[in-house]
PDB file of all heavy atoms in Angstrom:
ATOM      1  N   GLU J   1      34.359 106.173  87.453  1.00  0.00           N
ATOM      2  CA  GLU J   1      33.073 106.584  87.978  1.00  0.00           C
ATOM      3  C   GLU J   1      33.174 107.954  88.678  1.00  0.00           C
ATOM      4  O   GLU J   1      32.268 108.773  88.602  1.00  0.00           O
ATOM      5  CB  GLU J   1      32.529 105.536  88.976  1.00  0.00           C
ATOM      6  CG  GLU J   1      32.104 104.245  88.282  1.00  0.00           C
ATOM      7  CD  GLU J   1      31.614 103.216  89.267  1.00  0.00           C
ATOM      8  OE1 GLU J   1      31.783 103.472  90.495  1.00  0.00           O
ATOM      9  OE2 GLU J   1      31.068 102.178  88.866  1.00  0.00           O
ATOM     10  N   LYS J   2      34.282 108.190  89.391  1.00  0.00           N
ATOM     11  CA  LYS J   2      34.458 109.439  90.094  1.00  0.00           C
ATOM     12  C   LYS J   2      34.739 110.609  89.151  1.00  0.00           C
ATOM     13  O   LYS J   2      34.432 111.751  89.449  1.00  0.00           O
ATOM     14  CB  LYS J   2      35.613 109.319  91.125  1.00  0.00           C
ATOM     15  CG  LYS J   2      35.225 108.547  92.365  1.00  0.00           C
ATOM     16  CD  LYS J   2      36.381 108.491  93.333  1.00  0.00           C
ATOM     17  CE  LYS J   2      35.975 107.842  94.641  1.00  0.00           C
ATOM     18  NZ  LYS J   2      35.055 108.694  95.409  1.00  0.00           N
ATOM     19  N   GLY J   3      35.321 110.310  88.018  1.00  0.00           N
ATOM     20  CA  GLY J   3      35.577 111.369  87.032  1.00  0.00           C
ATOM     21  C   GLY J   3      37.056 111.710  86.961  1.00  0.00           C
ATOM     22  O   GLY J   3      37.915 111.077  87.587  1.00  0.00           O
ATOM     23  N   ALA J   4      37.330 112.787  86.187  1.00  0.00           N
ATOM     24  CA  ALA J   4      38.718 113.141  85.877  1.00  0.00           C
ATOM     25  C   ALA J   4      39.453 113.767  87.054  1.00  0.00           C
ATOM     26  O   ALA J   4      40.647 113.972  86.994  1.00  0.00           O
ATOM     27  CB  ALA J   4      38.747 114.112  84.696  1.00  0.00           C
ATOM     28  N   GLU J   5      38.764 114.095  88.156  1.00  0.00           N
ATOM     29  CA  GLU J   5      39.425 114.747  89.288  1.00  0.00           C
ATOM     30  C   GLU J   5      40.112 113.745  90.211  1.00  0.00           C
ATOM     31  O   GLU J   5      40.688 114.143  91.213  1.00  0.00           O
ATOM     32  CB  GLU J   5      38.391 115.549  90.094  1.00  0.00           C
ATOM     33  CG  GLU J   5      37.791 116.709  89.304  1.00  0.00           C
ATOM     34  CD  GLU J   5      36.816 117.481  90.146  1.00  0.00           C
ATOM     35  OE1 GLU J   5      36.556 117.050  91.290  1.00  0.00           O
ATOM     36  OE2 GLU J   5      36.298 118.523  89.676  1.00  0.00           O
ATOM     37  N   TRP J   6      40.034 112.469  89.895  1.00  0.00           N
ATOM     38  CA  TRP J   6      40.605 111.442  90.788  1.00  0.00           C
ATOM     39  C   TRP J   6      41.621 110.604  90.019  1.00  0.00           C
ATOM     40  O   TRP J   6      41.599 110.488  88.808  1.00  0.00           O
ATOM     41  CB  TRP J   6      39.489 110.553  91.337  1.00  0.00           C
ATOM     42  CG  TRP J   6      38.491 111.328  92.161  1.00  0.00           C
ATOM     43  CD1 TRP J   6      37.423 112.038  91.683  1.00  0.00           C
ATOM     44  CD2 TRP J   6      38.510 111.518  93.554  1.00  0.00           C
ATOM     45  NE1 TRP J   6      36.761 112.640  92.707  1.00  0.00           N
ATOM     46  CE2 TRP J   6      37.399 112.346  93.881  1.00  0.00           C
ATOM     47  CE3 TRP J   6      39.334 111.058  94.604  1.00  0.00           C
ATOM     48  CZ2 TRP J   6      37.114 112.722  95.183  1.00  0.00           C
ATOM     49  CZ3 TRP J   6      39.039 111.430  95.891  1.00  0.00           C
ATOM     50  CH2 TRP J   6      37.938 112.257  96.171  1.00  0.00           C
ATOM     51  N   GLU J   7      42.578 109.994  90.769  1.00  0.00           N
ATOM     52  CA  GLU J   7      43.617 109.164  90.181  1.00  0.00           C
ATOM     53  C   GLU J   7      44.010 108.079  91.181  1.00  0.00           C
ATOM     54  O   GLU J   7      43.711 108.149  92.365  1.00  0.00           O
ATOM     55  CB  GLU J   7      44.846 110.002  89.833  1.00  0.00           C
ATOM     56  CG  GLU J   7      45.538 110.635  91.036  1.00  0.00           C
ATOM     57  CD  GLU J   7      46.738 111.480  90.636  1.00  0.00           C
ATOM     58  OE1 GLU J   7      47.068 111.488  89.440  1.00  0.00           O
ATOM     59  OE2 GLU J   7      47.342 112.099  91.532  1.00  0.00           O
ATOM     60  N   VAL J   8      44.697 107.063  90.652  1.00  0.00           N
ATOM     61  CA  VAL J   8      45.172 105.958  91.484  1.00  0.00           C
ATOM     62  C   VAL J   8      46.666 106.122  91.728  1.00  0.00           C
ATOM     63  O   VAL J   8      47.440 106.297  90.779  1.00  0.00           O
ATOM     64  CB  VAL J   8      44.913 104.593  90.807  1.00  0.00           C
ATOM     65  CG1 VAL J   8      45.412 103.446  91.695  1.00  0.00           C
ATOM     66  CG2 VAL J   8      43.444 104.426  90.509  1.00  0.00           C
ATOM     67  N   THR J   9      47.079 106.116  92.987  1.00  0.00           N
ATOM     68  CA  THR J   9      48.494 106.250  93.315  1.00  0.00           C
ATOM     69  C   THR J   9      49.204 104.946  93.048  1.00  0.00           C
ATOM     70  O   THR J   9      48.566 103.893  92.891  1.00  0.00           O
ATOM     71  CB  THR J   9      48.660 106.619  94.794  1.00  0.00           C
ATOM     72  OG1 THR J   9      48.231 105.520  95.593  1.00  0.00           O
ATOM     73  CG2 THR J   9      47.863 107.847  95.153  1.00  0.00           C
ATOM     74  N   PRO J  10      50.564 104.976  92.959  1.00  0.00           N
ATOM     75  CA  PRO J  10      51.312 103.729  92.773  1.00  0.00           C
ATOM     76  C   PRO J  10      51.015 102.685  93.862  1.00  0.00           C
ATOM     77  O   PRO J  10      51.126 101.495  93.629  1.00  0.00           O
ATOM     78  CB  PRO J  10      52.772 104.202  92.841  1.00  0.00           C
ATOM     79  CG  PRO J  10      52.721 105.620  92.362  1.00  0.00           C
ATOM     80  CD  PRO J  10      51.432 106.150  92.912  1.00  0.00           C
ATOM     81  N   GLY J  11      50.614 103.145  95.015  1.00  0.00           N
ATOM     82  CA  GLY J  11      50.288 102.209  96.098  1.00  0.00           C
ATOM     83  C   GLY J  11      48.883 101.651  95.994  1.00  0.00           C
ATOM     84  O   GLY J  11      48.460 100.844  96.824  1.00  0.00           O
ATOM     85  N   GLY J  12      48.112 102.111  94.999  1.00  0.00           N
ATOM     86  CA  GLY J  12      46.781 101.578  94.806  1.00  0.00           C
ATOM     87  C   GLY J  12      45.673 102.367  95.448  1.00  0.00           C
ATOM     88  O   GLY J  12      44.520 101.946  95.430  1.00  0.00           O
ATOM     89  N   MET J  13      45.962 103.563  96.018  1.00  0.00           N
ATOM     90  CA  MET J  13      44.928 104.373  96.666  1.00  0.00           C
ATOM     91  C   MET J  13      44.285 105.317  95.658  1.00  0.00           C
ATOM     92  O   MET J  13      44.955 105.853  94.778  1.00  0.00           O
ATOM     93  CB  MET J  13      45.528 105.187  97.813  1.00  0.00           C
ATOM     94  CG  MET J  13      46.053 104.357  98.960  1.00  0.00           C
ATOM     95  SD  MET J  13      46.750 105.402 100.283  1.00  0.00           S
ATOM     96  CE  MET J  13      45.277 106.339 100.740  1.00  0.00           C
ATOM     97  N   VAL J  14      42.985 105.487  95.777  1.00  0.00           N
ATOM     98  CA  VAL J  14      42.252 106.426  94.950  1.00  0.00           C
ATOM     99  C   VAL J  14      42.275 107.783  95.655  1.00  0.00           C
ATOM    100  O   VAL J  14      41.740 107.932  96.750  1.00  0.00           O
ATOM    101  CB  VAL J  14      40.788 105.972  94.725  1.00  0.00           C
ATOM    102  CG1 VAL J  14      40.054 107.010  93.866  1.00  0.00           C
ATOM    103  CG2 VAL J  14      40.757 104.624  94.059  1.00  0.00           C
ATOM    104  N   VAL J  15      42.912 108.759  95.034  1.00  0.00           N
ATOM    105  CA  VAL J  15      43.059 110.084  95.654  1.00  0.00           C
ATOM    106  C   VAL J  15      42.650 111.147  94.642  1.00  0.00           C
ATOM    107  O   VAL J  15      42.511 110.880  93.432  1.00  0.00           O
ATOM    108  CB  VAL J  15      44.505 110.355  96.111  1.00  0.00           C
ATOM    109  CG1 VAL J  15      44.912 109.358  97.183  1.00  0.00           C
ATOM    110  CG2 VAL J  15      45.477 110.271  94.925  1.00  0.00           C
ATOM    111  N   GLN J  16      42.448 112.384  95.155  1.00  0.00           N
ATOM    112  CA  GLN J  16      42.130 113.502  94.261  1.00  0.00           C
ATOM    113  C   GLN J  16      43.345 113.849  93.432  1.00  0.00           C
ATOM    114  O   GLN J  16      44.462 113.915  93.927  1.00  0.00           O
ATOM    115  CB  GLN J  16      41.674 114.707  95.079  1.00  0.00           C
ATOM    116  CG  GLN J  16      41.056 115.811  94.237  1.00  0.00           C
ATOM    117  CD  GLN J  16      40.411 116.874  95.096  1.00  0.00           C
ATOM    118  OE1 GLN J  16      40.533 116.847  96.303  1.00  0.00           O
ATOM    119  NE2 GLN J  16      39.707 117.817  94.469  1.00  0.00           N
ATOM    120  N   LYS J  17      43.114 114.031  92.146  1.00  0.00           N
ATOM    121  CA  LYS J  17      44.214 114.305  91.234  1.00  0.00           C
ATOM    122  C   LYS J  17      44.858 115.654  91.533  1.00  0.00           C
ATOM    123  O   LYS J  17      44.159 116.641  91.765  1.00  0.00           O
ATOM    124  CB  LYS J  17      43.711 114.294  89.791  1.00  0.00           C
ATOM    125  CG  LYS J  17      44.827 114.453  88.737  1.00  0.00           C
ATOM    126  CD  LYS J  17      44.259 114.420  87.330  1.00  0.00           C
ATOM    127  CE  LYS J  17      43.703 113.041  87.009  1.00  0.00           C
ATOM    128  NZ  LYS J  17      43.253 112.952  85.588  1.00  0.00           N
ATOM    129  N   ARG J  18      46.169 115.719  91.544  1.00  0.00           N
ATOM    130  CA  ARG J  18      46.896 116.956  91.791  1.00  0.00           C
ATOM    131  C   ARG J  18      47.183 117.683  90.500  1.00  0.00           C
ATOM    132  O   ARG J  18      47.412 117.068  89.464  1.00  0.00           O
ATOM    133  CB  ARG J  18      48.211 116.645  92.514  1.00  0.00           C
ATOM    134  CG  ARG J  18      48.048 116.149  93.940  1.00  0.00           C
ATOM    135  CD  ARG J  18      49.323 115.576  94.477  1.00  0.00           C
ATOM    136  NE  ARG J  18      49.679 114.347  93.731  1.00  0.00           N
ATOM    137  CZ  ARG J  18      50.765 113.611  94.011  1.00  0.00           C
ATOM    138  NH1 ARG J  18      51.572 113.973  94.976  1.00  0.00           N
ATOM    139  NH2 ARG J  18      51.009 112.526  93.332  1.00  0.00           N
ATOM    140  N   ASP J  19      47.186 119.015  90.584  1.00  0.00           N
ATOM    141  CA  ASP J  19      47.516 119.839  89.415  1.00  0.00           C
ATOM    142  C   ASP J  19      49.018 119.843  89.245  1.00  0.00           C
ATOM    143  O   ASP J  19      49.751 120.341  90.107  1.00  0.00           O
ATOM    144  CB  ASP J  19      46.995 121.251  89.625  1.00  0.00           C
ATOM    145  CG  ASP J  19      47.225 122.141  88.391  1.00  0.00           C
ATOM    146  OD1 ASP J  19      47.803 121.646  87.405  1.00  0.00           O
ATOM    147  OD2 ASP J  19      46.828 123.327  88.435  1.00  0.00           O
ATOM    148  N   PRO J  20      49.507 119.305  88.129  1.00  0.00           N
ATOM    149  CA  PRO J  20      50.973 119.263  87.940  1.00  0.00           C
ATOM    150  C   PRO J  20      51.626 120.636  87.880  1.00  0.00           C
ATOM    151  O   PRO J  20      52.811 120.779  88.148  1.00  0.00           O
ATOM    152  CB  PRO J  20      51.128 118.518  86.590  1.00  0.00           C
ATOM    153  CG  PRO J  20      49.824 118.727  85.892  1.00  0.00           C
ATOM    154  CD  PRO J  20      48.784 118.774  86.968  1.00  0.00           C
ATOM    155  N   GLU J  21      50.851 121.667  87.531  1.00  0.00           N
ATOM    156  CA  GLU J  21      51.425 123.004  87.416  1.00  0.00           C
ATOM    157  C   GLU J  21      51.457 123.726  88.752  1.00  0.00           C
ATOM    158  O   GLU J  21      52.113 124.737  88.895  1.00  0.00           O
ATOM    159  CB  GLU J  21      50.601 123.838  86.407  1.00  0.00           C
ATOM    160  CG  GLU J  21      50.687 123.278  84.990  1.00  0.00           C
ATOM    161  CD  GLU J  21      49.926 124.143  84.009  1.00  0.00           C
ATOM    162  OE1 GLU J  21      49.343 125.148  84.459  1.00  0.00           O
ATOM    163  OE2 GLU J  21      49.927 123.826  82.814  1.00  0.00           O
ATOM    164  N   SER J  22      50.669 123.227  89.689  1.00  0.00           N
ATOM    165  CA  SER J  22      50.660 123.904  90.993  1.00  0.00           C
ATOM    166  C   SER J  22      51.897 123.527  91.776  1.00  0.00           C
ATOM    167  O   SER J  22      52.338 122.376  91.764  1.00  0.00           O
ATOM    168  CB  SER J  22      49.409 123.525  91.780  1.00  0.00           C
ATOM    169  OG  SER J  22      49.406 122.137  92.051  1.00  0.00           O
ATOM    170  N   GLY J  23      52.473 124.488  92.463  1.00  0.00           N
ATOM    171  CA  GLY J  23      53.680 124.230  93.236  1.00  0.00           C
ATOM    172  C   GLY J  23      53.367 123.549  94.542  1.00  0.00           C
ATOM    173  O   GLY J  23      52.222 123.156  94.807  1.00  0.00           O
ATOM    174  N   PRO J  24      54.358 123.393  95.369  1.00  0.00           N
ATOM    175  CA  PRO J  24      54.137 122.780  96.686  1.00  0.00           C
ATOM    176  C   PRO J  24      53.214 123.658  97.523  1.00  0.00           C
ATOM    177  O   PRO J  24      53.139 124.867  97.318  1.00  0.00           O
ATOM    178  CB  PRO J  24      55.550 122.714  97.292  1.00  0.00           C
ATOM    179  CG  PRO J  24      56.317 123.774  96.571  1.00  0.00           C
ATOM    180  CD  PRO J  24      55.753 123.800  95.187  1.00  0.00           C
ATOM    181  N   PRO J  25      52.459 123.067  98.438  1.00  0.00           N
ATOM    182  CA  PRO J  25      51.538 123.861  99.264  1.00  0.00           C
ATOM    183  C   PRO J  25      52.277 124.929 100.046  1.00  0.00           C
ATOM    184  O   PRO J  25      53.392 124.734 100.514  1.00  0.00           O
ATOM    185  CB  PRO J  25      50.911 122.813 100.206  1.00  0.00           C
ATOM    186  CG  PRO J  25      51.882 121.664 100.207  1.00  0.00           C
ATOM    187  CD  PRO J  25      52.476 121.661  98.827  1.00  0.00           C
ATOM    188  N   ALA J  26      51.657 126.095 100.148  1.00  0.00           N
ATOM    189  CA  ALA J  26      52.276 127.207 100.843  1.00  0.00           C
ATOM    190  C   ALA J  26      52.434 126.897 102.332  1.00  0.00           C
ATOM    191  O   ALA J  26      51.594 126.240 102.924  1.00  0.00           O
ATOM    192  CB  ALA J  26      51.441 128.473 100.662  1.00  0.00           C
ATOM    193  N   ALA J  27      53.539 127.331 102.881  1.00  0.00           N
ATOM    194  CA  ALA J  27      53.795 127.083 104.297  1.00  0.00           C
ATOM    195  C   ALA J  27      52.804 127.866 105.147  1.00  0.00           C
ATOM    196  O   ALA J  27      52.458 128.999 104.819  1.00  0.00           O
ATOM    197  CB  ALA J  27      55.220 127.517 104.644  1.00  0.00           C
ATOM    198  N   VAL J  28      52.343 127.270 106.184  1.00  0.00           N
ATOM    199  CA  VAL J  28      51.382 127.915 107.067  1.00  0.00           C
ATOM    200  C   VAL J  28      52.108 128.938 107.933  1.00  0.00           C
ATOM    201  O   VAL J  28      53.125 128.632 108.578  1.00  0.00           O
ATOM    202  CB  VAL J  28      50.685 126.877 107.980  1.00  0.00           C
ATOM    203  CG1 VAL J  28      49.721 127.564 108.920  1.00  0.00           C
ATOM    204  CG2 VAL J  28      49.940 125.852 107.122  1.00  0.00           C
ATOM    205  N   VAL J  29      51.599 130.176 107.914  1.00  0.00           N
ATOM    206  CA  VAL J  29      52.200 131.230 108.729  1.00  0.00           C
ATOM    207  C   VAL J  29      51.728 131.043 110.172  1.00  0.00           C
ATOM    208  O   VAL J  29      50.534 131.063 110.440  1.00  0.00           O
ATOM    209  CB  VAL J  29      51.790 132.625 108.223  1.00  0.00           C
ATOM    210  CG1 VAL J  29      52.395 133.704 109.111  1.00  0.00           C
ATOM    211  CG2 VAL J  29      52.243 132.809 106.775  1.00  0.00           C
ATOM    212  N   PRO J  30      52.645 130.865 111.095  1.00  0.00           N
ATOM    213  CA  PRO J  30      52.220 130.600 112.479  1.00  0.00           C
ATOM    214  C   PRO J  30      51.650 131.832 113.160  1.00  0.00           C
ATOM    215  O   PRO J  30      52.024 132.966 112.859  1.00  0.00           O
ATOM    216  CB  PRO J  30      53.534 130.159 113.143  1.00  0.00           C
ATOM    217  CG  PRO J  30      54.620 130.828 112.348  1.00  0.00           C
ATOM    218  CD  PRO J  30      54.108 130.836 110.937  1.00  0.00           C
ATOM    219  N   THR J  31      50.729 131.572 114.071  1.00  0.00           N
ATOM    220  CA  THR J  31      50.190 132.633 114.921  1.00  0.00           C
ATOM    221  C   THR J  31      50.970 132.608 116.231  1.00  0.00           C
ATOM    222  O   THR J  31      51.162 131.544 116.825  1.00  0.00           O
ATOM    223  CB  THR J  31      48.695 132.404 115.201  1.00  0.00           C
ATOM    224  OG1 THR J  31      47.980 132.480 113.965  1.00  0.00           O
ATOM    225  CG2 THR J  31      48.158 133.464 116.169  1.00  0.00           C
ATOM    226  N   ILE J  32      51.422 133.772 116.655  1.00  0.00           N
ATOM    227  CA  ILE J  32      52.223 133.838 117.886  1.00  0.00           C
ATOM    228  C   ILE J  32      51.451 134.612 118.951  1.00  0.00           C
ATOM    229  O   ILE J  32      50.522 135.359 118.648  1.00  0.00           O
ATOM    230  CB  ILE J  32      53.595 134.490 117.632  1.00  0.00           C
ATOM    231  CG1 ILE J  32      53.420 135.921 117.089  1.00  0.00           C
ATOM    232  CG2 ILE J  32      54.418 133.656 116.668  1.00  0.00           C
ATOM    233  CD1 ILE J  32      54.720 136.680 116.893  1.00  0.00           C
ATOM    234  N   ARG J  33      51.865 134.441 120.176  1.00  0.00           N
ATOM    235  CA  ARG J  33      51.268 135.152 121.298  1.00  0.00           C
ATOM    236  C   ARG J  33      52.279 136.174 121.793  1.00  0.00           C
ATOM    237  O   ARG J  33      53.348 135.823 122.253  1.00  0.00           O
ATOM    238  CB  ARG J  33      50.897 134.184 122.417  1.00  0.00           C
ATOM    239  CG  ARG J  33      50.299 134.873 123.638  1.00  0.00           C
ATOM    240  CD  ARG J  33      49.781 133.882 124.656  1.00  0.00           C
ATOM    241  NE  ARG J  33      50.835 132.959 125.074  1.00  0.00           N
ATOM    242  CZ  ARG J  33      50.648 131.975 125.974  1.00  0.00           C
ATOM    243  NH1 ARG J  33      49.439 131.788 126.498  1.00  0.00           N
ATOM    244  NH2 ARG J  33      51.638 131.185 126.318  1.00  0.00           N
ATOM    245  N   VAL J  34      51.915 137.448 121.638  1.00  0.00           N
ATOM    246  CA  VAL J  34      52.791 138.535 122.047  1.00  0.00           C
ATOM    247  C   VAL J  34      52.273 139.122 123.357  1.00  0.00           C
ATOM    248  O   VAL J  34      51.093 139.441 123.477  1.00  0.00           O
ATOM    249  CB  VAL J  34      52.859 139.631 120.964  1.00  0.00           C
ATOM    250  CG1 VAL J  34      53.794 140.765 121.398  1.00  0.00           C
ATOM    251  CG2 VAL J  34      53.338 139.054 119.641  1.00  0.00           C
ATOM    252  N   LYS J  35      53.160 139.273 124.323  1.00  0.00           N
ATOM    253  CA  LYS J  35      52.784 139.867 125.603  1.00  0.00           C
ATOM    254  C   LYS J  35      53.145 141.349 125.579  1.00  0.00           C
ATOM    255  O   LYS J  35      54.311 141.708 125.498  1.00  0.00           O
ATOM    256  CB  LYS J  35      53.520 139.158 126.741  1.00  0.00           C
ATOM    257  CG  LYS J  35      53.094 137.708 126.942  1.00  0.00           C
ATOM    258  CD  LYS J  35      53.774 137.095 128.158  1.00  0.00           C
ATOM    259  CE  LYS J  35      53.282 135.689 128.414  1.00  0.00           C
ATOM    260  NZ  LYS J  35      53.901 135.085 129.624  1.00  0.00           N
ATOM    261  N   VAL J  36      52.114 142.173 125.611  1.00  0.00           N
ATOM    262  CA  VAL J  36      52.317 143.622 125.538  1.00  0.00           C
ATOM    263  C   VAL J  36      52.087 144.225 126.914  1.00  0.00           C
ATOM    264  O   VAL J  36      50.995 144.090 127.493  1.00  0.00           O
ATOM    265  CB  VAL J  36      51.364 144.263 124.507  1.00  0.00           C
ATOM    266  CG1 VAL J  36      51.610 145.762 124.423  1.00  0.00           C
ATOM    267  CG2 VAL J  36      51.536 143.615 123.146  1.00  0.00           C
ATOM    268  N   LYS J  37      53.098 144.906 127.442  1.00  0.00           N
ATOM    269  CA  LYS J  37      52.979 145.545 128.752  1.00  0.00           C
ATOM    270  C   LYS J  37      52.584 146.982 128.588  1.00  0.00           C
ATOM    271  O   LYS J  37      53.249 147.766 127.920  1.00  0.00           O
ATOM    272  CB  LYS J  37      54.305 145.457 129.507  1.00  0.00           C
ATOM    273  CG  LYS J  37      54.235 146.043 130.923  1.00  0.00           C
ATOM    274  CD  LYS J  37      55.575 145.976 131.613  1.00  0.00           C
ATOM    275  CE  LYS J  37      55.480 146.572 133.019  1.00  0.00           C
ATOM    276  NZ  LYS J  37      56.780 146.603 133.718  1.00  0.00           N
TER     277      LYS J  37
END
């Protein structure tokens, strides 16, 4: 009913289907606080 964008995980959860060609999610670049005198 949801369509081709969804799939069932081995644990039985209905989740959004992942693109097999897409790599791992990019790491989040942290924001830092710089003290400038």
Side-chain angles (χ1 to χ4, degrees):
E1 290 179 351
K2 284 182 175 290
E5 295 181 356
W6 299 84
E7 64 181 355
V8 180
T9 66
M13 295 180 62
V14 179
V15 297
Q16 191 170 6
K17 185 179 293 185
R18 291 167 294 181
D19 184 358
E21 295 182 359
S22 63
V28 178
V29 178
T31 297
I32 59 176
R33 178 173 57 180
V34 180
K35 293 185 176 182
V36 182
K37 183 182 180 184

